[in-house]
C-alpha cells in the first residue's frame, strides 16, 4: 500500500506569507490535491481553493501548490491541504494558521 505524507509549509516575511503544499509518496501514484485558504480580517472574510492532479515520484518531496498573500495587521490566514491517492483513495491532510502576532 502506498504511504502518503503531506504538509503545509508557511514562510513569513514581514506582511507577506508564502505557503507551500508539499507531498511525498512511497510508490509512484497520481494524486488529487486541494489547498484551501481562508483570509479573515476587519475588511471581511474570503476563501480560495487551488486544486489539481499531480503524478508523484518516489522519495521526492514535491510542491503541489504555492501561493503568496499579504497579511493584514488585524487579520489572519488559515490553510488546509488535502491530498488523495487516485488509485487507493488514501488521504493525507495538513493545516496551518498565520496571524500578525
Amino acid at each position: 500500500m502506498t504511504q502518503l505524507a503531506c504538509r503545509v509549509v508557511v514562510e513569513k516575511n514581514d506582511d507577506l506569507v508564502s505557503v507551500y503544499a508539499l507531498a511525498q509518496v512511497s510508490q509512484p501514484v497520481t494524486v488529487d490535491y486541494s489547498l484551501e485558504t481562508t483570509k479573515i480580517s476587519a475588511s471581511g472574510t474570503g476563501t480560495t481553493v487551488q486544486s489539481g492532479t499531480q503524478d508523484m515520484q518516489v522519495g521526492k518531496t514535491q510542491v503541489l501548490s504555492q501561493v503568496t498573500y499579504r497579511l493584514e495587521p488585524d487579520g489572519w490566514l488559515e490553510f488546509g491541504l488535502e491530498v488523495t491517492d487516485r488509485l487507493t483513495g488514501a488521504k493525507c491532510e495538513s493545516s496551518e494558521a498565520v496571524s500578525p502576532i
Side-chain angles (χ1 to χ4, degrees):
M1 183 170 192
T2 301
Q3 291 183 329
L4 177 61
C6 66
R7 64 185 171 132
V8 174
V9 175
V10 175
E11 293 180 355
K12 192 174 170 187
N13 185 6
D14 295 323
D15 64 343
L16 292 180
V17 177
S18 294
V19 180
Y20 301 87
L22 306 177
Q24 188 173 19
V25 295
S26 62
Q27 297 177 6
V29 294
T30 300
V31 298
D32 293 321
Y33 66 88
S34 175
L35 176 63
E36 181 176 290
T37 303
T38 301
K39 186 175 181 179
I40 303 165
S41 69
S43 62
T45 300
T47 300
T48 60
V49 177
Q50 288 192 334
S51 60
T53 300
Q54 180 77 33
D55 292 328
M56 300 293 294
Q57 299 174 9
V58 175
K60 180 180 176 187
T61 299
Q62 291 180 240
V63 178
L64 304 175
S65 182
Q66 187 259 322
V67 292
T68 300
Y69 292 94
R70 184 168 306 280
L71 182 61
E72 295 181 32
D74 62 348
W76 70 90
L77 298 164
E78 295 176 351
F79 306 98
L81 172 64
E82 183 177 284
V83 181
T84 305
D85 178 341
R86 280 192 154 187
L87 183 63
T88 66
K91 288 188 180 187
C92 176
E93 295 179 347
S94 178
S95 61
E96 288 288 337
V98 178
S99 68
I101 299 171

